Amino acid sequence: MDILVYALYIVAFAMFIIGLSGLTAPRSAVRGNKIAAAGMAIAFVATLIHIRETSSWLIIIAALVVGVIIGIPPARKVKMTAVPQLVALFNGVGGGTVALIAWGEFIESDGFTGLRVASGPVLPLVIASLFAAIIGSLSFWGSIVAFMKLQQILPGRPLSVGRLQQPLNAILFLGSVGAAAIVGIDSASTGADPVWFGTILVLAGILGVMTVLPIGGADMPVVISLLNALTGLSAAAAGLALNNIAMIVAGMIVGASGTILTNLMAKAMNRSILSIVAGGFGGGGATGVDSTNNGDQVAKSTSAADAAIKLAYANQVIVVPGYGLAVAQAQHAVKDMAKVLEARGVEVKYAIHPVAGRMPGHMNVLLAEADVSYDAMKETDDINGEFARTDVTIVIGANDVTNPAARTDPNSPIFGMPVLNVDQSRAVIVLKRSMSSGFAGIENPLFFGVNTTMLFGDAKKSVAQVTEELKAL
Amino acid sequence: MDSFLANIAILVLSGFIGFAVISKVPNTLHTPLMSGTNAIHGIVVLGALTVLGTADNPSIPLQIISFVAIVFGTVNVIGGFVVTDRMLAMFKTRPASSKIEGIN
């Protein structure tokens, strides 16, 4: 019977890989996700076969029912603008599960002395369990803080204890690893004291909280990817400890995926992952300085009617969305405007920077929700050559990803970051609530450009007004 | 020990497969990718089931911990797949300029 379980696990992880391969194109992606879900169902059935002689059916069924009841409603109802926090939350509970599994194993095996899953020395299994405990707890608490920041239960700006932050984090990390070492050594002889195991979970948890708190809103795409990678790796470690190949493969693939995304995001900001995790940089534009007058530079304000006239007589318009679009939930309004423009024969494209928004690909999902076609969304490298022959570029709630100082000013903190060359288009209309700076508190020379006009106000309202004016023309 | 080493081999190989497959995913689909892989790491619910299911006479603390772990894991799996499915259904490729019904 165990051969059957093993075989089903192999079928399951093959389906995960086939399913994820489907995500390489939008057309095959829906089916890919369903294949992965079916693989999960098979792995689940295999596990139930494996534990068929258990006496705990009542608890298992009750827990599954509660999980389904809690899990489905938010997944079905969440607004697309709130997907980042939901993903953070789901990621957190996954990490929490891993930490609890390690804890459960610890209790079940009397402080790991009774760990006899495989023949031979148990030390590697103990190490895998302890790794799972540390990373699982860190990922759980880190994700919870990320969720609270994104949900604005906690402020999005960096919260830190200043210079003490790094030494404190180092102490927490060494402390949890030290407690794990004690548990590991004791498990070889008498069995470890549960207090030490609790110490691992608590210190790793505090480390998770202290690591994510000082990270600003704009760095969230990196943090969410990183936490995703960590949960995947901890799942793989738990799989090693439990000798479960489906968990090993699935966890490792998620770890690889999270690592790739973390790297891509960090590269798109021209910063190292380490410096982002060190935190204190990304303020998310929460505290803006009013600077409509920047020395002799003055930002020119415009009206919806003027903007509409410019747009109506353009050949090509590029829309550059940012987090502001998500906050104002302006995606449908933008699509309506694009429809009116397209009816007039104007070509409308969307330029999407990898770190626009709060998670990788955030803007793409919002625009897809508003029925913008996949082919109209362009990546930085594909569209940067087009700005020079674009009549009007509309920047909606994006700031730093359009900052030309990243190209031209070696003194700028974001110098070298790949940006959208919005300033090269013939006219730029920037939709913004006020003149606040972006996440790094950096002035954006784009706003004072000769071709640039500012349309102040709520993005959704501004776009709707422009659409009305367009219809009236 | 043999099975542990075999598992390490599987671990390393799946890391390479993960890198190969995921590198091909376009930027546009990164959010569904993230939420999809998020659902897949919900596979940890199997671990929670195994720990509780293979214990003879599980103690009360183990029962409580396992209960919470299974609830968390189930939320992760079910919620993850449902939200990913919703998101992916919205991605459409351009069918001329007007919408054609029935394209996923």
Side-chain angles (χ1 to χ4, degrees), chain A residues 69-350:
Chain A
I69 291 172
I70 298 178
I72 290 184
R76 292 183 71 140
K77 289 193 194 116
V78 67
K79 283 191 179 147
M80 284 300 132
T81 46
V83 163
Q85 44 267 54
L86 190 70
V87 169
L89 196 62
F90 285 160
N91 188 56
V93 290
T97 310
V98 175
L100 291 171
I101 291 172
W103 192 4
E105 278 179 279
F106 180 82
I107 294 176
E108 166 43 21
S109 63
D110 295 321
F112 288 135
T113 42
L115 203 58
R116 290 286 178 268
V117 184
S119 53
V122 294
L123 188 64
L125 301 180
V126 172
I127 293 175
S129 281
L130 293 171
F131 179 85
I134 294 177
I135 304 297
S137 180
L138 191 151
S139 178
F140 175 72
W141 290 105
S143 300
I144 296 296
V145 173
F147 164 78
M148 292 203 285
K149 280 182 162 243
L150 290 164
Q151 190 69 27
Q152 287 167 356
I153 299 169
L154 287 172
R157 66 172 194 279
L159 299 171
S160 78
V161 294
R163 281 157 175 270
L164 286 176
Q165 190 76 55
Q166 307 306 337
L168 184 65
N169 286 356
I171 290 168
L172 287 167
F173 178 72
L174 292 174
S176 57
V177 172
I182 293 172
V183 172
I185 291 164
D186 287 356
S187 72
S189 51
T190 53
D193 192 326
V195 171
W196 287 116
F197 194 84
T199 309
I200 301 177
L201 294 182
V202 171
L203 290 184
I206 299 175
L207 179 62
V209 172
M210 299 305 275
T211 310
V212 180
L213 269 182
I215 298 176
D219 285 343
M220 277 299 162
V222 186
V223 176
I224 293 188
S225 314
L226 189 62
L227 290 169
N228 190 36
L230 288 178
T231 307
L233 292 177
S234 68
L240 273 182
L242 291 169
N243 190 26
N244 183 320
I245 50 164
M247 280 172 73
I248 297 174
V249 176
M252 205 56 203
I253 290 175
V254 178
S257 149
T259 309
I260 291 175
L261 288 179
T262 312
N263 262 320
L264 277 176
M265 294 303 110
K267 220 182 266 173
M269 304 175 100
N270 192 35
R271 291 170 58 202
S272 71
I273 296 167
L274 211 64
S275 83
I276 290 164
V277 174
F281 193 60
T287 52
V289 194
D290 191 79
S291 57
T292 317
N293 287 304
N294 178 30
D296 53 345
Q297 291 183 306
V298 181
K300 296 181 288 294
S301 169
T302 187
S303 69
D306 284 346
I309 290 169
K310 266 189 202 153
L311 290 166
Y313 297 104
N315 287 318
Q316 172 162 294
V317 169
I318 296 180
V319 177
V320 179
Y323 184 56
L325 177 123
V327 174
Q329 310 214 3
Q331 67 270 34
H332 295 283
V334 169
K335 172 65 186 176
D336 289 343
M337 180 184 73
K339 238 190 252 170
V340 177
L341 285 172
E342 276 162 358
R344 298 186 63 106
V346 181
E347 174 128 24
V348 182
K349 291 175 180 167
Y350 300 82

Side-chain angles (χ1 to χ4, degrees), chain B residues 91-103:
Chain B
F91 279 92
K92 298 180 181 78
T93 39
R94 187 186 299 236
S97 60
S98 65
K99 254 197 304 186
I100 295 173
E101 293 301 323
I103 288 192

Side-chain angles (χ1 to χ4, degrees), chain A residues 16 23-24 26-27 29-30 33-34 37 40 43-44 47 54 56 59-60 63-64 67 72 75-78 80 87 90-91 93-94 97-98 100-101 103-104 107-108 119 124-125 224-225 228 231 235-236 240 242-243 245-250 252 254 256-257 260-261 264 359-362 364-365 368-369 371 373-376 379, chain B residues 1 3-4 7-8 10-11 14-15 17-19 21-35 37-41 43-44 46-55 58-59 62-63 65 67-94 99 104:
Chain A
F16 294 155
L23 278 179
T24 44
R27 206 177 282 276
V30 175
N33 186 53
K34 292 205 164 101
M40 190 61 78
F44 183 77
T47 308
T54 178
S56 310
I59 300 176
I60 290 172
L64 291 173
I72 290 184
R76 292 183 71 140
K77 289 193 194 116
V78 67
M80 284 300 132
V87 169
F90 285 160
N91 188 56
V93 290
T97 310
V98 175
L100 291 171
I101 291 172
W103 192 4
I107 294 176
E108 166 43 21
S119 53
L125 301 180
I224 293 188
S225 314
N228 190 36
T231 307
L240 273 182
L242 291 169
N243 190 26
I245 50 164
M247 280 172 73
I248 297 174
V249 176
M252 205 56 203
V254 178
S257 149
I260 291 175
L261 288 179
L264 277 176
M359 73 183 289
H362 192 185
N364 303 85
V365 173
E369 188 199 11
D371 239 0
S373 93
Y374 173 81
D375 316 311
E379 296 176 17
Chain B
M1 198 63 192
S3 80
F4 185 80
N7 284 345
I8 293 281
I10 293 172
L11 181 95
S14 27
I17 291 173
F19 269 98
V21 172
I22 309 292
S23 305
K24 292 184 195 138
V25 177
N27 283 4
T28 307
L29 291 177
H30 276 168
T31 293
L33 168 69
M34 178 149 273
S35 107
T37 53
N38 207 345
I40 288 177
H41 72 50
I43 196 163
V44 291
L46 305 190
L49 288 171
T50 308
V51 170
L52 179 64
T54 53
S59 63
L62 179 62
Q63 289 184 355
I65 288 169
F67 179 84
V68 178
I70 296 171
V71 171
F72 276 8
T74 312
V75 168
N76 187 180
V77 172
I78 299 273
F81 278 123
V82 170
V83 78
T84 311
D85 189 60
R86 251 186 78 198
M87 248 188 282
L88 287 172
M90 298 183 310
F91 279 92
K92 298 180 181 78
T93 39
R94 187 186 299 236
K99 254 197 304 186
N104 294 315

Side-chain angles (χ1 to χ4, degrees), chain A residues 7-23:
Chain A
L8 287 177
Y9 279 159
I10 294 173
V11 173
F13 73 60
M15 288 173 81
F16 294 155
I17 295 169
I18 295 169
L20 282 175
S21 313
L23 278 179

